[in-house]
Amino acid sequence: MAAEVMDLKARADRLRELHGEEMLVLPNAWDAASATIVAEAGFPVVATASAAISAMLGYPDNEGAPWSEMFAAAGRVARVVSVPVTVDAEAGYGMEPRELVDRLLEIGAVGCNLEDTDHRAGGLVEAGAHAQWLARVRSAAADAEVPIVINARVDTFLPKSGIPESDRLAEAVRRGRLYRDAGADCIYPIGVRHQDDIATLVAELPGPINGNTGDDLNLAKLRELGVARVSYGPRFYRTAMADLKTAVQELLS
């Protein structure tokens, strides 16, 4: 096995191990500078946020940016840090699984978020079809000899999913089980706001759960509920841009 592949494999193994230790906290980065800040602060992993990167590049979120520009930006993140990097790859940009895996490894990433929203058609991808696609990504990673960590995002709690509010939790559990069976390492039910829902998801789904802070869900509460991984998406990017806006406006006063 080539040295580069061995290094990527070691990083992928480490990223997977971190899901079973202390709660993995990911203050998402969007460029080399923000990634450096996160790594130098002592976080053991750097994660990217697609909404932040696409905004930085001047495109809308939800696969509004060309995949080549998104991957180039994520590659600059991976280049400047020595810790594992996991990339928000949105819905996979229409790539075949082996191409997606190869592109991730080319930029030095060893993990990815993959969501089950169809941004072209609107709404969610059929769960069985998405599980099959995830299984092919898992198989492609095995063929590449780097066990990329797949964080399967479940979008049922998002309003654009089209799922009635009363059915969102049950559908998230159903989809999460399918995705875990397909080989996903972690399930990410984005948009969950209530403690009871997170507690049910942790209890009903095998394996690690990715949560978000907000409302009455701070880090301590998420840790108490058994959440294994917490990500912040574009939150820090938006805070940075808001601070910049305030600072430049003050120059005019």
Side-chain angles (χ1 to χ4, degrees), residues 4-17 84 110 145-147:
E4 182 179 1
V5 173
M6 290 179 66
D7 178 62
L8 290 170
K9 182 180 183 303
R11 293 188 186 209
D13 288 340
R14 180 56 182 151
L15 175 57
R16 182 171 288 100
E17 289 170 0
V110 294
E145 300 184 70
V146 179

Side-chain angles (χ1 to χ4, degrees), residues 26-250:
L26 301 172
N28 301 67
W30 59 91
D31 61 7
S34 58
T36 299
I37 289 171
V38 170
E40 289 183 347
F43 289 92
V45 175
V46 171
T48 69
S50 66
I53 291 180
S54 59
M56 177 194 68
L57 295 172
Y59 295 98
D61 191 17
N62 301 324
E63 299 196 347
W67 71 263
S68 56
E69 294 193 42
M70 296 292 287
F71 274 62
R76 289 190 286 273
V77 166
R79 178 177 56 82
V80 299
V81 300
S82 59
V83 298
V85 170
T86 180
V87 170
D88 183 351
E90 303 190 77
Y93 306 102
M95 293 182 186
E96 286 298 313
R98 185 56 196 256
E99 181 185 8
L100 175 63
V101 168
D102 286 346
R103 298 293 185 186
L104 289 166
L105 296 179
E106 283 172 5
I107 64 172
V110 294
C112 60
N113 279 16
L114 294 171
E115 59 203 46
D116 59 0
T117 291
D118 185 332
H119 296 296
R120 291 162 182 80
L124 301 183
V125 179
E126 195 277 319
H130 189 63
Q132 291 177 4
W133 185 76
L134 290 174
R136 291 172 60 207
V137 175
R138 178 84 282 149
S139 177
D143 290 343
E145 300 184 70
V146 179
I148 285 174
V149 176
I150 300 171
N151 190 34
R153 209 179 83 175
V154 178
D155 290 357
T156 60
F157 286 90
L158 300 180
K160 64 182 179 182
S161 71
I163 305 295
E165 188 169 355
S166 59
D167 297 334
R168 290 174 182 172
L169 179 59
E171 181 63 8
V173 170
R174 185 180 79 88
R175 285 174 176 264
R177 287 174 176 168
L178 286 172
Y179 302 164
R180 277 288 291 174
D181 288 345
D185 299 282
C186 184
I187 302 300
Y188 180 14
I190 190 172
V192 179
R193 294 290 179 263
H194 302 296
Q195 294 182 24
D196 289 347
D197 289 341
I198 281 288
T200 298
L201 289 162
V202 170
E204 294 292 330
L205 291 175
I209 299 296
N210 190 142
N212 302 118
T213 60
D215 299 332
D216 58 347
L217 290 173
N218 57 27
L219 285 177
K221 177 54 67 174
L222 290 171
R223 185 180 289 109
E224 178 187 324
L225 292 171
V227 169
R229 167 172 168 162
V230 178
S231 51
Y232 287 80
R235 193 177 311 178
F236 292 105
Y237 168 81
R238 290 170 178 164
T239 298
M241 293 301 102
D243 289 345
L244 175 61
K245 181 178 181 179
T246 298
V248 298
Q249 286 177 337
E250 287 176 352

